[in-house]
Amino acid sequence: MKLRRQNKGNVVLYGVWFIILTATIAITRFYSVESSNFYGIAETREIVVNFEGAVEIKKIDVTEGQSVEQGMLMVELSSPDLMLKINHISHQLDQLKAQKGVDKSEIQSRLRQLKAQKAAKENELKNQIAQLENQYKINKSLLSGLKSIPGGSGYGNDEGRSPMEMKIRSLKEELRLCINPLAIQIELFQKTLANSKDPVKIQVERLEKELSLLRDENSKLKIYAQISGIIGSVNFKPGAKVSPFAPILTLHTRTPSFIKGYIYENAYADISMGEKITVASLAIANRNITGVVVGIGARIVAYPERLRKHPDLQMWGREVVIQIPANNHFILGEKVLITSSLKKARFTDQLKRLFTPSQSIADVLQTCKNFLFQEKILPIIPLETEGIEASALLYLEDIDRYMVLSDDTLGNAPLVMLMDSNGRITRETPIAGLDRIDDMESVAEGEQGILYISSSLGTGRKGKIKAARKHLISVQRQENHFSLLGMVDLYSLFMTHAETAAGKPWADFILGGILKKTLDMEGMMYREGTLFLGFKAPLMNQKSVVLKINEIDQVIKTKKLKPGQISIWQTVRLQRGEDQLQEGISDLLYFEGALYLTGTPLIKKEGSRSGSLWKLEESAGTPICLTHFNDLQPEGVAVGKEKNTLIICFDQGRKIKSKICVVKVK
């Protein structure tokens, strides 16, 4: 009896273990399914229609939900300010063209008068001289036959005593004195006439160009559909006044263009870029299509409530963006099932994952809370100059080019390279008026087309600083031409001014860097007459330093610093974690109320390159790491061509092409 009870107890125990094992296998299989099947929502490309200036809605030809074809007129706008500018410039052009004709006629009339006056005076005096010379010859021949006068005639032996000879000389001198001033005036008027076209011509060409730009802008007041699609929303009615960049209406494609799915956090490694994915409709059987993974989010986010199996149970995962063909049958916003083509993990691996889960990407990136989706990285393709070491860049909107600087050029030539958005250098141009500059590390855009470019102020490998490494220059840009405006020896200016201001934090920082030969300035930005300089080294209290110099144009002009004109603006610590390498500033950018910084490690491991993009809100005191780059060294950051984007350039050394990358910040 006792034995039976013991066997019965063992059966119950075995049953419990069997149930646990079955549950374990079921849960494990569940995770396996989650790693290859997950849900998503069909979304589409949406175009927001707006205008960069204040306008009034003249006419709206579409309604919400209406289907439109590419090229169809959707909205007509009017801008009284724009028409006023066009009329004003047209009036100025008419005045200049009329003035040009009047000024030329006046100069030509005055020139004719002077020529006539010169000719009349010249003829009058020459006739008098000719008459006197003839009379002189006649008198001299008559007197030469008189023997009563010793030595022949004696007339002309002492020419200084001859009244007629003196008269002739006097008339010749008068001719010279009268004619020369007139000739000078004639020459001046001729030069004036030749050059009178240039100033007016330049003004006319400038105004005509400005008028053409305004007319082009005026033509944009009629907005046509960029794609064939459906009107999403119409936010204004005819007659309404619209502020700049306010969304007037939205337009989206007729069918979804991509799927945004969410894969469970423990399965984040089971999907890869470029992988083919099957997307199936949950509403209609056998409706599926093949897509391609074009984006994998680099952060863990909460599942949308609609995609949770249990709305009250919070789930976390990774976003996956899948591009699908345009000719699909899905409905916008439709919930779909996404199936990965990867093989399922082995059962032993699944058990291992279940009982000893690996560290999630959220843990790995805990110091990079706002990690960005990273676009494709492109190499910079040289035009003529090989071995570009991209150190700074700036987007020039008027010519649709990125200005790229290299910290090393042949012969330290002051070379500026212009690059398109695909990374191809399309033009190389020197800075006119500047012979050489070494280690160009930063560029900032000021007002009225003025650019500021600076060397690093750092010592070379031999511990000495070259004169060409001390420069801060201001450059005037006109389209794709660059010319030197001013130059200052910033290194010497810092040293001299810091010695007189010893004891102040900024002065001790500069003097310490100069003394230890660690001074290295690689970032720069401009705001309202003030230049901000970001230093990679040295550190102050384990933080990177940003100095500011007020009235920078006056500093470059006078080559002097006033007391209180320079100070410390910010100190920041760029370190993703206590076990991570600390970084120093490699560039600065102020964009939409926030400071963006790129950083590179202060201590470099041999053969390795890395760095990060950081963001510092004005109201915050601690920078946030947005993204970290492995095997890439970020050296410059600038506002991108597209809205809400930044572009970063990476210096990979002379033997490897520099690279660029576009990241979204909103």
Side-chain angles (χ1 to χ4, degrees), residues 85 196 251 480 581 623:
K85 288 180 182 179
S196 64
L251 171 66
N480 52 18
L581 291 174

Side-chain angles (χ1 to χ4, degrees), residues 44-49 66-70 74 224-233 249-253:
T44 184
R45 172 191 174 194
E46 186 175 69
I47 295 174
V48 178
V49 175
Q66 179 180 340
S67 178
V68 297
E69 298 297 328
Q70 183 176 4
M74 298 188 297
Y224 298 88
Q226 299 178 26
I227 60 172
S228 296
I230 297 173
I231 301 298
S233 61
L249 58 83
T250 59
L251 171 66
H252 56 76
T253 56

